[in-house]
Amino acid sequence: MYQQVLDPVADSLAWSSLVAAIPLLLLFILLGVMRVTAWVASLISLAVSLVLAVLVYGMPVGQALLAGTEGAAFGFFPILWIVINAIWVYQLTVETGHFDVLRRSFASVSDDQRIQAVLIAFSFGALLEALAGFGTPVAVTSVMLMALGFKPMKAAVLALTANTAPVAFGAMATPIITLGKVTELPVDTLGAMVGRQTPILAIFVPLVLVGIVDGWRGVRETWPAAVVCGVVFGLGQYATSNFISVPLADVVAALLSAAAVVLLVRTWRPSHAYSEPAVVAGGAEDTPSPESAERVEHHDSRADIVKAYAPYAIIIAVFVVCQITAVKELLDKATVKSAWPGLDIVSPSGKPVSLTEFTLNLLTTPGTQMLLAGIITMIALKVSVPRAVKAYGTTLHQLRWAILTVMTVLALAFVMNLSGQTITLGTWMAAAGGAFALLSPILGWLGVAVTGSDTSANSLFGALQVTAANQAGLSDVLMAASNSSGGVLGKMISPQNLAIAAAAVGMDGKEGDIFRRVIVWSLIFLVFLCALSGLQASPVLSWMVPS
């Protein structure tokens, strides 16, 4: 048995935190400064974390290695299982030519790439986040943007930056449901509180997107569309999460925001349409794409357009049916939970650590439901089995380095979590007293930056947030929600999402370049959310916290 230690370095929480932060700092330096490939940077950081776990924290070598294997397994299932099957559905639409129809349908709404970025990266990406999450919207929307003429780097940056405000309610609100389990707080109350934070963030994200596309001119000329998109999304997310259904918050918000922009551009247009030379996926940034010339000129039949949207309608239908209580309970019978072999770890207080339990939810995981949606899509689009299998092979080949990166990063996360390194960092920050309200979102941001998952970050720090809130006399609901809301901003800089984005746009090995483009926005939004959390903990905005 291994008992976690909080302050192994000179019995000091501060010194121990400095040491515990080394793997994370090293990971970000390797990615952002030294431009090391994501999977190599992850492997090096994993090795350093293992050394610290054994030599500093006193974790037995066998247990440290087993912690890494559990993390790698979790990285594949359920996270990669969701991404792989979601990208496979996308590949089916490419094989049949229906992705081009979908692309032209979006382009027909507006030939201005700034409007397209808002519609696709934000609204459509939010819908994908709501249904699947775990990197799916980044992969699909970045490719779609490239097909509309965006350069690979810009497409990746847009997809990552847009994947923020919807994340807390992603995968049918899985992060918030998980947060409710680990904190023993009502899911509806937590969802309502998150729904009073991320909608405010959503107002600004579309403005940032048009700024990324075309700088200040883009903001000046297209702010009506960006503001309408952000405000309608925010209102939809707030109203749905507070008064209707927490799991459906992103679905409603995404559809409403897209509809609002489509209606707006029928009566209003920017002073001039912006576009830039298109590129070939994986090619040089200035290479013209042969598809770009016909992206608006080609006229598709209504039947073709219906078929192009059919896969996403099928996905929505499958996910909604699987959320029905009776169906969910039936599917849950295939869930298997067991302790990871060889891991015997207790917390500093002597209680068993829940992370050592591995859950194999074969049928309730969104990945399996996405696979079912893909099979139905095969039938709807009349794709033969050999073509579908070939598309699956193409998907695996495209994501090969992303798969290695995600599994390595999750191995790193589990070694840090189970050895006590992450808990050391969290406990040190939680000792800030009343000022913890300002720091609370940083914990969530840190958790998602490491694991790439708001769900994992909530599992990791949710209970700690409640404990710190009780010690400091703060609202436990606010601090727990701030963990999830802050976590959404770590999504764009997490190595697993960077790897998925790089693989999607054909920039394998350039994750560090993408990281440097998005880290600034991640930090700016994080400062904003920290200020919001602090104000909501004070008399100024305390009325926003549900009682």
Side-chain angles (χ1 to χ4, degrees):
M1 185 186 71
Y2 168 67
Q3 183 167 10
Q4 293 174 334
V5 183
L6 291 179
D7 52 0
V9 181
D11 295 325
S12 167
L13 199 57
W15 283 110
S16 299
S17 295
L18 286 174
V19 173
I22 290 175
L24 295 183
L25 293 174
L26 178 62
L27 180 62
F28 293 142
I29 289 172
L30 289 173
L31 281 174
V33 179
M34 301 180 69
R35 304 188 183 188
V36 175
T37 304
W39 69 268
V40 175
S42 303
L43 278 174
I44 294 172
S45 299
L46 172 60
V48 171
S49 180
L50 284 167
V51 170
L52 293 178
V54 174
L55 298 183
V56 177
Y57 280 78
M59 191 178 194
V61 175
Q63 299 241 30
L65 294 173
L66 285 169
T69 61
E70 185 189 6
F74 181 78
F76 188 84
F77 189 97
I79 295 176
L80 284 166
W81 182 236
I82 297 170
V83 176
I84 291 170
N85 288 318
I87 302 303
W88 174 57
V89 175
Y90 152 73
Q91 288 289 356
L92 291 177
T93 66
V94 172
E95 282 283 323
T96 58
H98 288 95
F99 178 76
D100 288 331
V101 178
L102 184 69
R103 169 172 57 83
R104 288 190 291 268
S105 175
F106 274 106
S108 67
V109 174
S110 173
D111 58 355
D112 191 309
Q113 289 188 333
R114 297 165 299 189
I115 306 296
Q116 292 169 357
V118 170
L119 265 178
I120 295 172
F122 189 73
S123 295
F124 188 59
L127 181 61
L128 293 176
E129 179 66 36
L131 299 174
F134 297 101
T136 303
V138 171
V140 175
T141 61
S142 59
V143 173
M144 190 175 292
L145 289 171
M146 280 186 61
L148 286 167
F150 288 81
K151 294 177 181 178
M153 176 64 75
K154 187 172 286 187
V157 170
L158 287 168
L160 286 165
T161 306
N163 193 217
T164 47
V167 168
F169 295 97
M172 306 306 287
T174 297
I176 295 175
I177 292 171
T178 301
L179 185 62
K181 289 180 180 179
V182 299
T183 61
E184 298 182 352
L185 294 172
V187 171
D188 288 343
T189 306
L190 289 170
M193 185 65 244
V194 175
R196 302 177 191 195
Q197 293 178 321
T198 56
I200 300 173
L201 179 69
I203 295 173
F204 300 99
V205 174
L207 286 167
V208 170
L209 296 181
V210 297
I212 291 173
V213 175
D214 191 29
W216 175 245
R217 182 182 63 175
V219 176
R220 188 175 64 251
E221 294 182 356
T222 58
W223 68 264
V227 170
V228 165
C229 183
V231 169
V232 171
F233 183 93
L235 289 174
Q237 195 181 59
Y238 161 73
T240 308
S241 61
N242 276 264
F243 307 113
I244 302 174
S245 167
V246 172
L248 293 178
D250 275 352
V251 175
V252 173
L255 294 175
L256 287 177
S257 64
V261 174
V262 170
L263 289 174
L264 175 67
V265 297
R266 287 185 175 181
T267 58
W268 168 89
R269 297 276 177 172
S271 57
H272 81 281
Y274 173 87
S275 63
E276 58 187 34
V279 294
V280 175
E285 291 202 1
D286 57 354
T287 306
S289 168
E291 294 93 351
S292 60
E294 52 77 51
R295 69 175 184 264
V296 181
E297 300 300 327
H298 193 285
H299 296 288
D300 300 296
S301 68
R302 182 170 296 180
D304 284 336
I305 294 173
V306 170
K307 285 183 178 179
Y309 282 93
Y312 303 99
I314 291 169
I315 293 170
I316 292 174
V318 169
F319 277 71
V320 168
V321 169
C322 290
Q323 289 299 312
I324 297 172
T325 303
V327 176
K328 197 171 184 178
E329 290 177 352
L330 181 64
L331 296 176
D332 201 40
K333 292 181 179 179
T335 298
V336 178
K337 294 182 179 181
S338 63
W340 192 258
L343 278 181
D344 186 10
I345 300 173
V346 296
S347 68
S349 62
K351 296 179 180 179
V353 175
S354 61
L355 280 176
T356 59
E357 183 181 68
F358 191 81
T359 300
L360 195 65
N361 51 335
L362 294 170
L363 299 181
T364 56
T365 179
T368 302
Q369 294 166 14
M370 187 65 72
L371 178 64
L372 174 61
I375 293 171
I376 298 174
T377 297
M378 282 174 54
I379 299 171
L381 301 184
K382 298 179 181 179
V383 180
S384 65
V385 173
R387 287 183 72 189
V389 172
K390 180 184 176 183
Y392 209 97
T394 301
T395 300
L396 292 174
H397 182 265
Q398 177 186 352
L399 294 176
R400 63 193 185 282
W401 297 116
I403 290 171
L404 177 58
T405 301
V406 172
M407 294 180 71
T408 305
V409 169
L410 266 295
L412 164 66
F414 269 65
V415 171
M416 291 189 66
N417 296 347
L418 290 174
S419 66
Q421 295 171 52
T422 313
I423 306 300
T424 294
L425 289 167
T427 306
W428 175 63
M429 292 177 64
F436 182 67
L438 291 168
L439 302 177
S440 176
I442 298 176
L443 266 184
W445 177 84
L446 181 67
V448 176
V450 177
T451 66
S453 163
D454 201 35
T455 301
S456 298
N458 287 343
S459 298
L460 184 59
F461 290 132
L464 182 65
Q465 293 272 11
V466 170
T467 301
N470 292 332
Q471 290 175 351
L474 300 167
S475 166
D476 51 4
V477 170
L478 173 59
M479 293 302 95
S482 295
N483 189 84
S484 194
S485 299
V488 309
L489 305 175
K491 191 86 169 177
M492 68 177 86
I493 63 167
S494 68
Q496 80 168 47
N497 255 27
L498 290 170
I500 291 170
V505 301
M507 294 183 66
D508 289 304
K510 298 293 183 65
E511 295 87 356
D513 294 337
I514 302 173
F515 173 82
R516 287 195 301 279
R517 299 286 186 94
V518 296
I519 181 64
V520 174
W521 293 116
S522 179
L523 293 175
I524 289 173
F525 283 140
L526 180 61
V527 170
F528 168 79
L529 201 56
C530 286
L532 177 62
S533 175
L535 289 172
Q536 288 175 330
S538 73
V540 178
L541 295 180
S542 59
W543 53 270
M544 295 182 69
V545 181
S547 55

